[in-house]
Amino acid sequence: MSDGLLLLAAGDEVAVATRALTAGEVIPLPTGEPLTVRSSVPRGHKVAVVARSAGEPVRKYGATIGRATAAIGVGEHVHVHNLEITEADQPHEFGTDRHTLTPPPGDRPTFLGYPRADGRVGTRNYIGILTSVNCSASTARMIVDQFRGQVLDAYPNVDGVVALTHRSGCGLVTESEGARVLMRTLRGYAAHPNIAGLLVLGLGCEMLQSSRIVDSADIPSSTLIEQLVIQDEGGIRRTVRAGVEAVNRMLEPINALQREPCDVSKLVLGLNCGGSDGYSGITANPALGVASDRLVSYGGTSILAETPEVHGAEGLLTRRAVSEAVGRKLLDRLDWWRDYTAAGGGTMDNNPSPGNKAGGLTTILEKSLGAVAKGGHADLAEVVEYAERPRVPGLIFMDTPGYDPVSVTGIVAGGANVVCFTTGRGSVFGCKPVPSIKLGTSTELYERMPEDIDINCGTIVDGTDTLEEVGDTVFEQILAVASGRQTVSEELDLGQEEFVPWQLGAVT
Amino acid sequence: MSDGLLLLAAGDEVAVATRALTAGEVIPLPTGEPLTVRSSVPRGHKVAVVARSAGEPVRKYGATIGRATAAIGVGEHVHVHNLEITEADQPHEFGTDRHTLTPPPGDRPTFLGYPRADGRVGTRNYIGILTSVNCSASTARMIVDQFRGQVLDAYPNVDGVVALTHRSGCGLVTESEGARVLMRTLRGYAAHPNIAGLLVLGLGCEMLQSSRIVDSADIPSSTLIEQLVIQDEGGIRRTVRAGVEAVNRMLEPINALQREPCDVSKLVLGLNCGGSDGYSGITANPALGVASDRLVSYGGTSILAETPEVHGAEGLLTRRAVSEAVGRKLLDRLDWWRDYTAAGGGTMDNNPSPGNKAGGLTTILEKSLGAVAKGGHADLAEVVEYAERPRVPGLIFMDTPGYDPVSVTGIVAGGANVVCFTTGRGSVFGCKPVPSIKLGTSTELYERMPEDIDINCGTIVDGTDTLEEVGDTVFEQILAVASGRQTVSEELDLGQEEFVPWQLGAVT
Ligand SMILES: [Ca+2]
Ligand SMILES: [Ca+2]
Ligand SMILES: [Ca+2]
Ligand SMILES: [Ca+2]
Ligand SMILES: [Ca+2]
């Protein structure tokens, strides 16, 4: 819809003002019919494009965001004065809103990846130095430092050496939930298809022994594996020397690997947002949703996450669940979260803040919808826990915090081989060993931080591109990046600091 | 005591076997009298040097570790078969076991430090890049990378540029205990006397805004301060450029600072242990206790920590408290810990493990005594919370986890300008911007990891040095290191990864 109004899905009763509108303005609807604006409407707020009687549901981006509390005429401002959610809008229904996604006509897309022995596909060839405990973190970084700069130029098929260090591994309660979540995360990285070579580095006296990580992870037989323990080697200098030798031994065989055409269904896309703004829910997130749906239609996998941002609107997802069991698992995780945040002295309030309301968000359903839009309209195929590997393809929900590095670390541990990250305020996120494509929500952001954003989704509100067009661009970029194209975060060599396993439980 | 037995304090009823002893051996006591060993005694276990009747208390290192459950003759093995603790050994008494420490005769020692405007003294001149949130961590490290290698050779009085990055700063419950503890830690580093120059680096949209850190920290007016926000600068590359310029501006004025003789009382010594072994409690820890007592006798400050290792034997410290209020504060913190570990699915069990018992530790009092020995015999002057700055000199207890990087981060935030770290298994700990002196518990460790240990305290059990002699060596080394001598961890450039604020509460 051009100049002033954006309709997010066919059939929606409201459109979004992409600029401040004044009463009396006439704007053409997609049908060609003219719409006369009836009141002044701030940018980002909603305008009725279909009349509603009191009590009737109102849809935005194809989903109910609430009910009219009074009659609403075409062209009127729709906000807290005439829209509200009722119990009826939040039923716990399972599978009542499923959509079969059919792939677009034409050839199935492929990408150039590195097939691994377990059938999964790497999009990068990294050598990962995984630490069992913080005590070996410095040593891991010293080894990595030897492979910075031009040292790897002779190995074009080696994307880098990354230190996957974390701050825990000791001072944990044995067999606690926190210890299990950390172990699952480390195993997920050890077995990740983008880790072509793995060096596990321990101190020696830590609780979480490095041999346990290797022995219990389901690592593809194609991964080269080495282990070093500082106390056994006789200190840091000797361990650094041995570690550099171990990495050197891996370089030639990994460089000999060649990218091969792989079916698009081998992509596992991680979805996330950070530093959201008023445009996130109407530009970058739904554009990413279009790309996610495209991938799912081809039999690929897409992982939505960030549980706190779904809270209060979980019905949006349970109605798309492929089974009651899948829907109930989401509800169970939300119960867990209520206890978790209460123990931390907080609450799970996800209602629109005063700032959200000023920006045009009226209800919790509408707010969550903006976040969930990253996952498009696909059925919810499975709900997994943090860092768990999905068992089926399709749209997956992983239970993670909203905090970016922690959320994406879980998603990558679960096997994502490409990540798309939407940002309004300007995140500078990367997540080695996986490429992270950053989608900016506005042209203003894209112009302010040009070196940190891959795709400007602001053209949707600028009126120069449709949601579908930007969604296409995102999908094409996913294929290109999976095939080796560098993202801005890779050009900046970001992503080592962003490995942050979810720390749960007591530090003793 | 030579060849086979080590008496930890005059008046103790037990000595420690420094090698396996066989029944019938005769070993001279310090009095010159011969002691005949009455049963075979494994290395590290206890031998009675004074006879005890059933019910009489037994002391080791000057403190009661339990009561005889049967008559014990001189030369007999003392362990679980004839030693136990009773309620009477663990009273909550306050101040009933105080000792006035008098400085040794002779001149008061001094060290060469950098006096700061608030009266505290730096032992190093670091430029610290402190991040408000994980999102600015990569950028902080990119700036630090520009000052590695020989770049700083022209600035001999600048010890380095350190990135103080952490994994939190967003996804926290506002005003929660976790947010307050993190803020207190960041403020403690911002205001630390070893931070001559401070660059605070934020992303922009984080919960914990960088300006709040600077505005609320009690930073000495002598500290050079700069602030940068990535979203304001327009991305990572521009921020790195601006950050490098900011650091460059600081180099000349900081290099112009000169070390000056400072009174020994300006030292704030942090005490810690990691990777303990059977020798920790009889060599490195008590030797460090001798040095700590020496410092306290001169009016200096020494910070003991690691609450879980004191648990069950808190009476050892409350009896040394300068007031009931100080003693009760320790008991209050232990109550807090019982809740904290229970919520994390654990318990506060600090009883000797089967491995501890095999090594010769009989009771929880004896085990805790080995840890508390780092703090010598000084009165307990104050109990502070994690990362809190002590208000008085003397021996301070800070409530921290036992986990090394988290514990020492709290101690450094509290203002420690030298750290002594004891290790039996072989820790490779460093803690920029503060030097960390590593004390090894055995000659075997010292020979196995020669490049990672500063002082071998194993000579105490080897019989070549007394506890007092090694304590002297430690004290002299503290003065030398405070005056600029490099520790092994500084030679290895360790200590950036070990900045790990205690993460409490939910990640959302
Ligand atoms: Ca390369
Ligand atoms: Ca996020
Ligand atoms: Ca220098
Ligand atoms: Ca410790
Ligand atoms: Ca000697």
Side-chain angles (χ1 to χ4, degrees), chain A residues 110-449:
Chain A
T110 58
F111 69 102
L112 293 168
Y114 296 105
R116 307 301 185 197
D118 63 355
R120 294 189 296 165
V121 173
T123 60
R124 296 290 182 272
N125 270 336
Y126 268 93
I127 295 170
I129 305 184
L130 190 66
T131 55
S132 54
V133 64
N134 191 68
C135 309
S136 52
S138 291
T139 307
R141 287 181 185 266
M142 288 177 194
I143 298 170
V144 164
D145 281 347
Q146 303 304 312
F147 297 95
R148 290 166 65 156
Q150 289 156 6
V151 191
L152 293 184
D153 284 359
Y155 304 94
N157 292 341
V158 176
D159 290 286
V161 183
V162 59
L164 299 165
T165 67
H166 59 92
R167 306 292 170 99
S168 186
C170 223
L172 283 166
V173 177
T174 325
E175 302 305 323
S176 64
E177 185 170 25
R180 279 187 282 111
V181 164
L182 176 61
M183 189 53 135
R184 196 159 65 219
T185 308
L186 299 180
R187 284 175 185 149
Y189 273 74
H192 196 281
N194 282 15
I195 297 291
L198 174 70
L199 170 60
V200 184
L201 198 62
L203 174 62
C205 54
E206 61 270 25
M207 192 203 102
L208 205 153
Q209 292 282 308
S210 48
S211 57
R212 267 186 63 210
I213 299 170
V214 172
D215 294 347
S216 62
D218 200 7
I219 303 179
S221 59
S222 46
T223 305
L224 305 177
I225 305 177
E226 305 241 14
Q227 292 185 59
L228 286 171
V229 174
I230 296 170
Q231 288 169 353
D232 295 346
E233 294 299 315
I236 286 195
R237 281 201 178 84
R238 292 173 190 173
T239 308
V240 171
R241 273 194 293 273
V244 168
E245 284 168 17
V247 171
N248 274 326
R249 280 193 292 276
M250 296 178 182
L251 290 173
E252 289 225 8
I254 293 175
N255 191 52
L257 299 172
Q258 299 291 327
R259 288 188 182 268
E260 296 172 20
C262 299
D263 189 73
V264 63
S265 64
K266 295 290 187 180
L267 287 179
V268 181
L269 175 65
L271 309 172
N272 222 272
C273 55
S276 297
D277 71 355
Y279 294 113
S280 299
I282 58 177
T283 63
N285 287 0
L288 179 52
V290 168
S292 173
D293 277 348
R294 184 82 50 88
L295 177 61
V296 169
S297 79
Y298 286 121
T301 303
S302 183
I303 305 178
L304 182 71
E306 302 175 284
T307 314
E309 291 169 27
V310 169
H311 176 252
E314 49 273 24
L316 291 170
L317 286 169
T318 60
R319 285 196 285 279
R320 288 157 57 183
V322 296
S323 70
E324 181 171 336
V326 166
R328 288 214 181 275
K329 185 155 179 195
L330 179 64
L331 301 182
D332 288 347
R333 292 314 300 165
L334 280 153
D335 281 342
W336 182 95
W337 266 88
R338 272 178 280 268
D339 294 343
Y340 172 61
T341 47
T347 59
M348 280 285 279
D349 181 16
N350 188 31
N351 283 301
S353 64
N356 291 151
K357 285 189 179 167
L361 292 180
T362 309
T363 68
I364 192 170
L365 287 172
E366 184 180 8
K367 183 182 172 188
S368 296
L369 194 62
V372 168
K374 297 190 292 292
H377 295 87
D379 289 351
L380 180 65
E382 190 180 7
V383 173
V384 294
E385 289 195 41
Y386 185 83
E388 204 181 355
R389 203 190 289 184
R391 278 156 288 263
V392 296
L395 178 67
I396 309 295
F397 185 84
M398 180 182 285
D399 176 25
T400 77
Y403 183 43
D404 311 339
V406 177
S407 180
V408 177
T409 295
I411 292 171
V412 169
N417 50 15
V418 183
V419 166
C420 279
F421 191 100
T422 69
T423 183
R425 302 286 297 274
S427 166
V428 291
F429 191 82
C431 50
K432 287 182 183 179
V434 173
S436 152
I437 303 169
K438 283 198 291 285
L439 315 184
T441 65
S442 71
T443 299
E444 183 266 329
L445 168 66
Y446 190 67
E447 288 172 353
R448 187 162 46 83
M449 296 176 65

Side-chain angles (χ1 to χ4, degrees), chain A residues 141 145 148 167 340 499 507, chain B residues 145 148 167 340 499 507:
Chain A
R141 287 181 185 266
D145 281 347
R148 290 166 65 156
R167 306 292 170 99
Y340 172 61
F499 174 66
V507 179
Chain B
D145 281 348
R148 290 165 66 154
R167 306 292 170 99
Y340 172 62
F499 174 66
V507 180

Side-chain angles (χ1 to χ4, degrees), chain B residues 473-492:
Chain B
T473 302
V474 173
F475 186 72
E476 292 305 322
Q477 183 87 327
I478 289 170
L479 291 170
V481 165
S483 303
R485 183 191 292 174
Q486 297 278 290
T487 62
V488 292
S489 73
E490 289 176 292
E491 285 167 3
L492 284 164

Side-chain angles (χ1 to χ4, degrees), chain B residues 55 57 64-69 83-91 363 365:
Chain B
T64 299
I65 58 168
R67 278 164 203 275
T69 55
L83 182 71
E84 225 174 59
I85 50 172
T86 67
E87 285 291 315
D89 301 316
Q90 298 183 285
T363 68
L365 287 173

